[in-house]
Every structure is written in C-alpha cells, then in structure tokens.
Amino acid sequence: MSNYHIKQFEEYFQVYRKSVRNPEQFWEEIAEEHFVWRKKWTNVLSWDFKKPEVKWYEGAKLNITENCLDRHLRTRGDKTAILFEPNDPNEPAEHISYIQLHERVCKFANVLKEKGIKKGDRVCIYLPMIPELAVSLLACARIGAIHSVVFAGFSATALSTRINDSDCKMVITADGSYRGAKTIDLKGIVDEALNDTPGVESVLVAKRINSDINMKEGRDFWLQTLLDEAYQDCDIEIMDAEDPLFILYTSGSTGMPKGMMHTCGGYMVYTAYTFKNVFQYTEKDVYWCTADIGWITGHSYIVYGPLCNGATTVMFEGVPSYPDFGRFWEIVEKHKVNQFYTAPTAIRALAKEGVEHLEKHDLSSIKVLGTVGEPINEEAWHWYDDNVGKKKAPIVDTWWQTETGGIMITPIAFATPTKPTYATLPFIGIQPALMDENGKEIKGNQVDGRLCVKFPWPSMARTIWGNHQRYKDTYFSAYENMYFTGDGALRDEVGYYRITGRVDDVIIVSGHNLGTAPIEDAINEHPAVSESAIVGFPHDVKGNALYGYVTLKETGESRNHDNLRKEINQLITEQIGPIAKLDKIQFTNGLPKTRSGKIMRRILRKIACNETDQLGDTSTLLNPEVVEEIIDNVI
Ligand code: WTA
C-alpha cells in the first residue's frame, strides 16, 4: 500500500526516506493506486539534467479530466465540485456539482471541437474568475488541446505576445469583468491584441457583464449560444503521460516571458498528492485558494489538485477589499471554509485594516491556513496565526514556482511543526540542495546558499515552449546536474528551509513575478528616454515596489518630470499591465556601470532601499561620479 495520506511527522520522515531511496518504486505505487490510467507506463522515470530531458510514466495513457471528473460521478456526483462566489456579495453563490461540472466540461469540449480545435492545438484563455474559466481549462484538457491561460489583468500587448509565442488558434474571453466596483472591458483588450495575431481563427465570448461589445463577424462567437446547441457527452482524448497539458507564461530576468510547458501524467499525480497532504483535505471539507487561475497556484490548487481529489474548491471572482475589507472573512463564514490559502501581500493588506472586520465573522471552520508567492514576513505570519487561525490552525508556508508545477518545500499540516517565515521541509520526493557561488554544494545545517533541486519530481516543467535551449540555460546551466530555482535560501539548525528571495533580476510585487527587462524595454520606448534600470524596494503591503532610474535624451531635459512619470507609467500599463507600474521614478544623468558596460543594479537597489552605507567599493565603476548624484537626488 502506498502512503497517499500522511498524517504524522514520523510518518513524513518514513515516507520521505522511502521516496528518495527508491523514487521510481515510490511514484509508481502512488500513481498506480490513486489514479485512473487507460494504459500503464513502461517506464516510471527517465532523466538527464544535462540534456535536459525528464520523462515520467512513459508509455502510460490517461486523461486528467477523467481523474478530475468522471471517476467521481458515481461516488460523489452530487457533491459540490466548484463553489463560485461572485464579485457582488448580493449575487447568489453557485454550487456546481461534479455531475454538473462534468456536463459543462463535455459540452464546452464539443464546442471546441466544433470550432476546429484538435489535440495539440493551443488555446489562449483570457477570462475573469468565473466558472467558465475552470470549465475551459478542463474542456481543453478533455480533448487534448493545450491551454495557455493569460491572467486577465495583462495588457493587450502582453496578451498578443503570449498568443503569438505559442501560436494559439483560439481565444476564450468574456464581454467584460467585474473587479470590485469597477468593470473592465476585456473584449476591448482582446480586440486590440488580435490586431496582431495572425494565427487566431476564432474567439469565444462568455457573457458576464452584459455590455454592448463589438463582435467580429466570422471570428467572434457567443459561447452560450454554442453551448446551448452542444451535445452533452464527450469522450476523453486518450493522452500520453508526456503529452503537453498546458503552457503558462512566467517572467524571466531577461527577454520574453517563458512559456513553461507542463505534461499530463506527472503533473496530475504530483498536484493531487501535494494537495491532499499539504492541506490535509478530507471529504467534507470546503477548500478555498484565493489566487487567480491565471497563475500557477490557481491551475494546480484551485483546479487540478483539488478536483483530482474530489474536493469542493471555492472560486472567488472579486477582490479582498470589496465591498469592504471584511469580504474574505464573510466568505469563510458563509461557506464554512476549512482550508484557506492566500498570499502574503493579501495578508499584509488585510492586517493593515485592523481586526474589526475579522471580529464580525465566525472563522471557527478554519482548520488549515496556507501562504504562497513570496517570503512571508514575521509580522504578517503572526497576524495570520493569531487573528485568522486563532493559533489553532497550522500555517503551511508553501514554496514553489510556475516551473515546479506543485508545492516543493512546505510543512504538512498537523504533521510538521511550523516556524514563522520558514517553508520548513521538502515535500515527499523533493531533494533540495544549497549551492555556493563556485558551484559547490553546501552541506550541513545553519548555512545559506542558492536553492537547487537534485532529482526530478513528477510535475516539473519539461521545457520552455519553442525554446528548449533557454530552458537549459535558465535552469540547468548554473550548476551541474541540478535544477536551479533562482531563489536564495537558508537552512537552520534542524534542517528547516527559509526562502530569502530571488537572486536574479526578477522582482516579486504583490506576489506577481516581474522581470526587470520587459519593464525597462517599455520605459525605453518613450521618445524622451535614453536608458533605464528597475529595482525593487521594500513596501508595507506589496512586499516589494518598483523604483525606476531613468536617464533622458538631451531633448527630454526641458520636459516636465511629473508628466514624464505619468507617460512612463502609462507605457508600462499598455505594454505589461498596471501591476508593473513604478512607485518611484528618479531622473538621473547616468546609471552606474561596470567597465564592461553592465548596469550595476546591486548599487541602485541599495540606494532605493536606503542602504547607502552598504554600497561597497564603487571606485572600479566606469562612472563612479553618478553614484553621488543618484544618492543626492534619491526619492
Ligand atoms: C517566490 C508561485 C518564499 C519564489 C507558486 C519563487 C516564495 C517565486 C514562496 C515563484 C514562499 C513562492 N516563500 N518565496 N512560500 N512561494 N515564492 O512562479 O521567489 O509565480 O521562485 O509561483 O515566488 O513564483 P511563481
């Protein structure tokens, strides 16, 4: 019997040891006993980090939606699969049972087929957090189409770049979306993006806000009309374990966002197994992850992981501040949420509002609290523990990435003793390593280094869509035979890990990864700008905010700086989205550079963080004099 449900700390160690001593046997047992396969694998794992190439469950046949839907119909068909809580608290919540979800997915899948979508085609999904979003992921998966969800807060430019990078044939969107008291013209953004996307043949439009939108004849179709005519059964497409399931873009330190490609078999096994154990989900629980499905957290821990376990998963359309900052707690009380999973930036925003909102609601249903997306500071951790969990609900601080597909370093609720700001121990099967700058592994405890993983796990991304070389360069070249995460971490005296943050030029703002390069590219498009550099600085709520240093062309000097700041932020909003706007913009006559011409972001970061006493030796710079000037004019 495999250890599918771990309940105690001792058991964790036992299972962990088993999983690293004989990974193939371990992952074979888990896969065999807890999932539906149409054909068994011929080989559990083959891997080579040098190439790099990783394959799990090679030769196996399956469909993830059979595991998420069909297999539950008999045992829990009437159980709520998705509990949809709308933006407007006065609009009733929708309870979608497994039987209903299955039917909706089948119909949607038939619509996709009818519009010419086949196995292997890419479908871009640009939807707000409404049930159609989850349904469209599953509909694609059912027929073997590869979904590429783009977060509906991204701009038209960001959307079209992503559509083109993976050559999507179809876009699924809505007439608009609600965001608190505002509505957003999603279809307008899609129309703009589609000016420049030759591969898109059709657009399916869900009705959400009933706005009067432009529908392009022959290209745009109302989703509901097609669903009304669609047949309600749809056989699964039988997929190879290593066939692509989806692409999801994540920012890198340079260049284009990276389309991380995940595959069917390993992703299914690992997200389901982590979900069950990390959150200790039991049959009657109501689980709520507040992330957007536009991010990996939503893919793995709103949709696939929970549904594979037959869970009830809450999908919330709105924002924590609407109609007021009590909204999350109202929802917890209303639906008696048992597991609550959110991000440090949300915790900090809620903590700022005090505890009155909390006191108005009964939060006694909460058993487990989770956090993800960035390091959680000690104050936020305690606020969460004291006020939300009332010191009774363990906090699972889950470290992972778009690239890893599932949770990697985490406590197991009720088993692993927690420690504020520590993600604690590797999940079953995960073999982390800390590396020094010379490429040597740092052994022992009370050490810090760069976080790597030594051995493959089932849900790791297999490549960057269309660019395997970049996959190799980014993740497998820094250290021999290791997956490099881009994060720094320390290991304490008992072996617990604390993630200290990115060691590259990715800045995490409100839990969103932002690469510096695309933002700088957007700024540099301004006709008055000559050069720019972005760094992060600490921010109470967002974790980090962005500080931009900008040099102007001669002609720009006479321009009004406040207007320029507005124009720069406008450009960023258009190219990337409002999440990437700069909080501070300093105009300067130069940027500190090495003799080889590299911008010294480290120095700029120290200045933005008010740590000018830690600049180190600047005399070897190409232009040491600009450092003084920048310090004198810091904002
Ligand atoms: C950071 C989100 C500290 C980290 C699932 C990682 C964290 C990046 C944590 C991935 C955590 C995520 N503690 N840092 N618990 N979780 N991170 O791809 O820097 O959006 O590399 O995946 O977020 O962000 P991504």
Side-chain angles (χ1 to χ4, degrees):
M1 262 294 283
S2 70
N3 306 83
Y4 191 70
H5 190 182
I6 299 154
K7 296 193 180 103
Q8 281 157 9
F9 203 30
E10 266 312 297
E11 196 185 356
Y12 158 78
F13 281 110
Q14 268 171 22
V15 181
Y16 182 77
R17 276 195 295 272
K18 188 167 145 187
S19 74
V20 299
R21 278 197 196 133
N22 199 340
E24 299 185 25
Q25 187 195 337
F26 177 79
W27 289 112
E28 172 151 50
E29 282 177 16
I30 294 286
E32 199 155 26
E33 291 170 24
H34 304 281
F35 299 88
V36 181
W37 304 87
R38 289 299 180 100
K39 182 170 168 269
K40 230 189 113 168
W41 43 90
T42 46
N43 193 15
V44 180
L45 168 67
S46 62
W47 68 290
D48 178 354
F49 276 179
K50 287 206 177 65
K51 263 183 175 171
E53 185 179 81
V54 173
K55 290 182 179 166
W56 283 92
Y57 307 115
E58 223 178 327
K61 304 270 187 200
L62 77 151
N63 188 291
I64 195 167
T65 71
E66 179 168 42
N67 284 273
C68 287
L69 302 170
D70 304 59
R71 69 155 149 168
H72 304 310
L73 296 181
R74 211 169 37 80
T75 48
R76 39 174 93 90
D78 293 322
K79 177 175 174 179
T80 301
I82 293 178
L83 204 175
F84 172 62
E85 171 68 28
N87 178 65
D88 177 355
N90 299 316
E91 191 182 324
E94 193 184 341
H95 292 252
I96 307 171
S97 70
Y98 273 93
I99 289 175
Q100 291 165 331
L101 184 61
H102 176 260
E103 187 179 316
R104 285 173 74 160
V105 169
C106 287
K107 283 191 168 176
F108 204 132
N110 284 327
V111 168
L112 297 177
K113 284 205 254 183
E114 206 256 319
K115 286 283 164 248
I117 301 298
K118 295 189 197 64
K119 178 178 175 184
D121 287 344
R122 272 80 59 205
V123 173
C124 175
I125 301 172
Y126 187 72
L127 279 170
M129 282 286 284
I130 54 177
E132 285 79 359
L133 174 51
V135 173
S136 62
L137 264 68
L138 295 162
C140 287
R142 192 148 187 101
I143 64 165
I146 303 169
H147 57 75
S148 168
V149 182
V150 176
F151 172 59
F154 275 125
S155 70
T157 315
L159 175 61
S160 71
T161 321
R162 286 162 177 77
I163 291 173
N164 288 332
D165 183 69
S166 45
D167 199 13
C168 294
K169 243 172 116 172
M170 175 189 269
V171 177
I172 304 173
T173 189
D175 60 346
S177 65
Y178 293 117
R179 199 177 157 73
K182 286 193 286 194
T183 55
I184 294 162
D185 176 18
L186 276 197
K187 178 63 167 47
I189 298 172
V190 170
D191 286 341
E192 194 187 329
L194 295 194
N195 284 330
D196 195 18
T197 53
V200 174
E201 294 167 7
S202 53
V203 178
L204 305 185
V205 186
K207 219 175 214 148
R208 178 58 183 142
I209 66 168
N210 287 313
S211 65
D212 192 15
I213 55 162
N214 165 49
M215 294 289 280
K216 189 169 169 188
E217 183 77 36
R219 185 196 71 181
D220 301 351
F221 304 92
W222 286 109
L223 177 63
Q224 195 56 49
T225 317
L226 300 172
L227 286 171
D228 288 343
E229 291 160 9
Y231 188 57
Q232 68 172 48
D233 286 319
C234 175
D235 282 345
I236 56 167
E237 179 78 35
I238 296 179
M239 307 292 285
D240 283 337
E242 280 296 324
D243 277 340
L245 173 64
F246 66 85
I247 300 166
L248 185 62
Y249 287 88
T250 184
S251 305
S253 49
T254 55
M256 262 289 296
K258 298 170 287 191
M260 304 314 306
M261 190 196 87
H262 285 280
T263 57
C264 298
Y267 177 82
M268 170 180 77
V269 170
Y270 193 79
T271 53
Y273 186 53
T274 45
F275 172 76
K276 175 76 183 170
N277 287 293
V278 171
F279 299 104
Q280 292 291 305
Y281 184 84
T282 59
E283 187 63 32
K284 293 205 166 65
D285 291 344
V286 174
Y287 159 89
W288 180 20
C289 164
T290 70
D292 192 289
I293 293 176
W295 310 114
I296 191 70
T297 308
H299 280 59
S300 303
Y301 299 109
I302 296 178
V303 182
Y304 291 113
L307 295 179
C308 240
N309 284 283
T312 297
T313 175
V314 175
M315 243 184 108
F316 175 44
E317 184 184 24
V319 292
S321 55
Y322 179 78
D324 62 38
F325 276 96
R327 188 68 193 277
F328 272 8
W329 318 128
E330 185 211 318
I331 297 172
V332 167
E333 178 174 10
K334 178 170 163 194
H335 299 303
K336 303 202 170 42
V337 169
N338 302 111
Q339 288 91 358
F340 178 76
Y341 189 27
T342 195
T345 182
I347 299 168
R348 289 189 297 261
L350 294 162
K352 241 182 129 178
E353 300 301 314
V355 292
E356 310 98 78
H357 290 295
L358 280 157
E359 284 164 354
K360 287 189 212 137
H361 299 282
D362 175 9
L363 306 182
S364 60
S365 58
I366 288 182
K367 294 196 280 195
V368 177
L369 294 173
T371 156
V372 59
E374 60 184 306
I376 182 165
N377 49 306
E378 187 136 9
E379 201 184 334
W381 195 98
H382 284 296
W383 186 86
Y384 202 28
D385 186 39
D386 294 347
N387 300 298
V388 185
K390 319 281 183 211
K391 286 198 156 66
K392 282 192 232 122
I395 297 177
V396 290
D397 179 352
T398 64
W399 172 83
W400 57 296
Q401 310 177 292
T402 305
E403 294 85 339
T404 68
I407 295 169
M408 300 287 282
I409 300 185
T410 181
I412 287 181
F414 305 110
T416 316
T418 60
K419 175 173 176 181
T421 77
Y422 281 74
T424 74
L425 295 170
F427 189 74
I428 307 300
I430 304 305
Q431 303 188 35
L434 294 180
M435 306 297 290
D436 70 16
E437 295 194 4
N438 305 317
K440 272 192 63 182
E441 184 174 351
I442 310 166
K443 303 258 177 155
N445 289 343
Q446 281 191 299
V447 291
D448 67 88
R450 292 170 177 225
L451 181 62
C452 290
V453 187
K454 287 196 238 191
F455 194 86
W457 61 100
S459 67
M460 63 191 295
R462 302 295 194 261
T463 191
I464 292 175
W465 186 263
N467 200 343
H468 199 66
Q469 185 61 41
R470 188 171 175 205
Y471 175 69
K472 178 176 179 168
D473 294 345
T474 313
Y475 306 106
F476 297 93
S477 302
Y479 304 100
E480 213 186 325
N481 257 325
M482 297 262 178
Y483 165 81
F484 174 47
T485 65
D487 284 327
L490 60 83
R491 194 161 51 216
D492 76 358
E493 60 290 350
V494 298
Y496 272 20
Y497 287 85
R498 175 186 190 170
I499 314 302
T500 47
R502 304 290 308 178
V503 295
D504 56 16
D505 285 326
V506 172
I507 305 170
I508 303 188
V509 178
S510 300
H512 304 307
N513 289 6
L514 300 173
T516 50
I519 305 176
E520 289 164 4
D521 289 347
I523 301 173
N524 298 349
E525 277 189 23
H526 192 290
V529 170
S530 150
E531 226 184 0
S532 61
I534 303 296
V535 298
F537 69 98
H539 184 280
D540 279 358
V541 173
K542 301 187 205 178
N544 293 295
L546 299 178
Y547 194 120
Y549 297 91
V550 176
T551 63
L552 297 174
K553 292 179 187 154
E554 302 282 310
T555 51
E557 275 177 15
S558 55
R559 301 274 303 266
N560 174 306
H561 280 184
D562 283 337
N563 287 345
L564 277 174
R565 288 192 177 94
K566 281 194 198 119
E567 289 164 21
I568 287 172
N569 269 332
Q570 184 55 32
L571 266 172
I572 295 173
T573 306
E574 283 161 18
Q575 305 257 327
I576 300 154
I579 45 177
K581 282 206 277 196
L582 310 184
D583 273 35
K584 296 184 181 178
I585 300 178
Q586 178 178 354
F587 295 102
T588 155
N589 284 315
L591 298 171
K593 290 188 183 166
T594 62
R595 287 177 190 273
S596 61
K598 246 183 115 155
I599 297 173
M600 288 293 284
R601 286 199 179 68
R602 188 184 58 78
I603 292 178
L604 293 172
R605 199 176 302 127
K606 291 281 176 209
I607 299 175
C609 298
N610 221 341
E611 293 168 352
T612 39
D613 52 322
Q614 301 167 28
L615 288 186
D617 182 13
T618 56
S619 64
T620 57
L621 292 174
L622 184 70
N623 49 354
E625 70 289 348
V626 303
V627 176
E628 286 298 309
E629 185 214 306
I630 294 177
I631 294 175
D632 288 344
N633 297 314
V634 74
I635 302 176

